[in-house]
Amino acid sequence: MNKSIIILLTLFFGITLNGLSQNTTPKDFFVGKWEFTVMGTPNGDAKFSTNLTRKDGKLTGELSDPANPTKEKIAITKIEDSADKITIYFTSSGYDVNLEMSKADENTLKGSMMGMFDAKGIRLKE
C-alpha cells in the first residue's frame, strides 16, 4: 500500500507541475501586426505598420506605409524590448529615429518618437 501511495503522489505531482508550466508561459506581447501613429510631425501625422516577429530571441521587422503598401519599406535597425516597453530604431530621411512605446492595455501602446512627438500603437487583427 505504501508503494501505491508514493506512485500516486508522484503521478499527481508530475501532472500538476506540467499543468502549471503550461499555464504560466508568458505571451510574447509585441509579436504580431501593429500600426503606429505619430502625431504632430513637421509633415503632419505619420502612420507606420509592421509585423514584428521574434528570431533567435530578438524582435525584428520592417515599417511600411499602410496607405501605400507598394512604397519602399523602412528597415528596422534595432529593437529593444522588455515585458511592457519597446523601442524601435530606424533611419528615415537620413535621420536616425527611435520610437519608444509602452503597453497601455492588451491591444494598445502609448509613447513618443524621439521624445518629441506623441505616438500611439494599436494591434491589428491577424
Side-chain angles (χ1 to χ4, degrees):
M1 176 147 175
N2 200 12
K3 271 187 173 180
S4 49
I5 290 174
I6 291 172
I7 291 171
L8 284 173
L9 287 174
T10 303
L11 183 62
F12 176 74
F13 179 72
I15 291 170
T16 303
L17 185 61
N18 186 34
L20 287 174
S21 68
Q22 289 177 359
N23 292 335
T24 58
T25 303
K27 179 182 172 190
D28 200 345
F29 180 77
F30 294 106
V31 169
K33 294 180 180 178
W34 292 91
E35 184 174 275
F36 301 108
T37 304
V38 181
M39 286 77 72
T41 73
N43 295 326
D45 293 351
K47 285 195 175 197
F48 302 100
S49 62
T50 188
N51 185 13
L52 298 177
T53 58
R54 191 167 297 276
K55 292 182 183 173
D56 300 324
K58 294 184 178 186
L59 280 174
T60 184
E62 57 189 9
L63 301 172
S64 62
D65 181 350
N68 188 358
T70 59
K71 188 176 179 181
E72 186 176 336
K73 299 190 182 327
I74 299 170
I76 294 174
T77 55
K78 180 173 134 183
I79 299 177
E80 296 174 347
D81 68 304
S82 63
D84 58 358
K85 184 178 174 184
I86 186 171
T87 304
I88 299 172
Y89 298 89
F90 58 98
T91 301
S92 178
S93 301
Y95 295 98
D96 292 331
V97 179
N98 68 63
L99 179 64
E100 188 173 297
M101 304 296 286
S102 296
K103 181 178 175 180
D105 63 38
E106 290 304 310
N107 294 307
T108 59
L109 304 170
K110 290 188 178 188
S112 67
M113 185 171 75
M114 303 298 291
M116 299 185 322
F117 305 103
D118 289 338
K120 65 181 179 179
I122 59 169
R123 185 185 304 277
L124 300 176
K125 302 291 182 192
E126 295 290 325

